[in-house]
Amino acid sequence: DAAAELKMTIAQLVNLAKYNMLDGSNRHALDDLAANHGIVIPADTSYDIYKVITDVIHDSKEMRNLIDFVDMIWFIYAHKITVETFDRVVADEIQDFNPLQQHIVKLMMGKSGLFIGVGDDRQSIYGFAGADVYSIRNMQETMHKHGGIVVMPLNQTRRCPISVVNYAKSMVADFDAMPDAIQGSIERIYTDKAIELMNPTDMGLCRTNAPLV
């Protein structure tokens, strides 16, 4: 119903605000977040949603006995918690880092730490968790100011057969299969046919949170 949808909208914006280190008081910033993540802020409500978001963020900062996964990360920023620094910080999938995670990486590096990041900005899928689509570019700029960067392309895939790579290269040209990769094959199988081919012990995998059938 409308009340449940409103509650969900507020919860989403609260989490996104935390991921972006916002306290909720900047309405324009919240509007931009909502627009970037496809969230519609209802105008015909008796609630001042912006005030509710600000209040929730303020209250959750003091609720140390009730935290969720977002708070585990956000508390470092909100409470200015001192983090341990390291000579080397290694992170994977950095294309899915949100601004808060980027901030924590900088804290972990201290003044002289070395950062090694692996990612592909064409594979960002964590928008629901506030992923910054410019994460890699922003982190490169940060590391350049920190002391310089070296970009090392990983342009050979050990995961895909030749047929899959050749098909993908029509969209993404700058990578190749390994010399010893198998040829493989590509088949288009639609839902009704797939169900006929599946056995009771088979398992299907997909990168979506919607039901397969």
Side-chain angles (χ1 to χ4, degrees):
D1 58 7
E5 290 183 8
L6 180 60
K7 183 177 180 180
M8 179 64 70
T9 297
I10 292 173
Q12 288 177 312
L13 286 172
V14 165
N15 284 343
L16 287 172
K18 290 178 178 178
Y19 281 136
N20 285 270
M21 297 175 287
L22 302 174
D23 62 8
S25 61
N26 187 329
R27 296 193 174 204
H28 294 299
L30 289 177
D31 285 339
D32 288 343
L33 275 181
N36 290 339
H37 293 274
I39 299 172
V40 178
I41 300 178
D44 55 341
T45 174
S46 58
Y47 294 94
D48 182 343
I49 291 182
Y50 299 96
K51 183 179 185 307
V52 172
I53 292 172
T54 302
D55 290 345
V56 170
I57 293 175
H58 177 270
D59 292 345
S60 63
K61 184 177 179 179
E62 306 306 321
M63 296 175 64
R64 298 175 186 240
N65 62 331
L66 181 64
I67 64 174
D68 61 11
F69 176 77
V70 178
D71 291 333
M72 291 181 190
I73 305 173
W74 177 67
F75 269 25
I76 295 174
Y77 167 77
H79 293 286
K80 295 180 173 56
I81 296 173
T82 301
V83 301
E84 184 177 358
T85 58
F86 300 90
D87 294 332
R88 294 176 178 84
V89 178
V90 181
D92 194 11
E93 306 289 6
I94 63 171
Q95 76 278 354
D96 284 320
F97 276 28
N98 54 52
L100 177 58
Q101 291 169 316
Q102 296 172 39
H103 171 72
I104 292 174
V105 165
K106 288 186 284 186
L107 294 179
M108 294 172 66
M109 291 172 58
K111 294 182 178 180
S112 58
L114 171 68
F115 176 69
I116 302 171
V118 182
D120 182 351
D121 53 12
R122 293 166 297 202
Q123 295 191 45
S124 181
I125 59 173
Y126 272 71
F128 67 91
D132 176 8
V133 294
Y134 301 112
S135 174
I136 293 180
R137 186 187 71 183
N138 291 340
M139 295 188 76
Q140 285 178 333
E141 291 176 354
T142 297
M143 301 312 158
H144 183 74
K145 296 175 183 177
H146 191 80
I149 63 171
V150 177
V151 179
M152 304 174 67
L154 299 174
N155 54 11
Q156 284 188 310
T157 174
R158 297 179 179 274
R159 177 182 296 174
C160 302
I162 295 171
S163 59
V164 173
V165 170
N166 288 340
Y167 179 75
K169 287 178 75 168
S170 64
M171 295 164 279
V172 181
D174 57 348
F175 80 113
D176 297 290
M178 295 295 291
D180 58 349
I182 62 173
Q183 181 61 39
S185 64
I186 297 176
E187 298 181 40
R188 295 182 182 275
I189 302 176
Y190 296 95
T191 303
D192 53 350
K193 184 63 175 178
I195 293 175
E196 293 177 8
L197 295 173
M198 286 181 181
N199 295 313
T201 56
D202 289 342
M203 178 176 66
L205 298 177
C206 67
R207 296 182 72 175
T208 177
N209 58 6
L212 283 174
V213 180

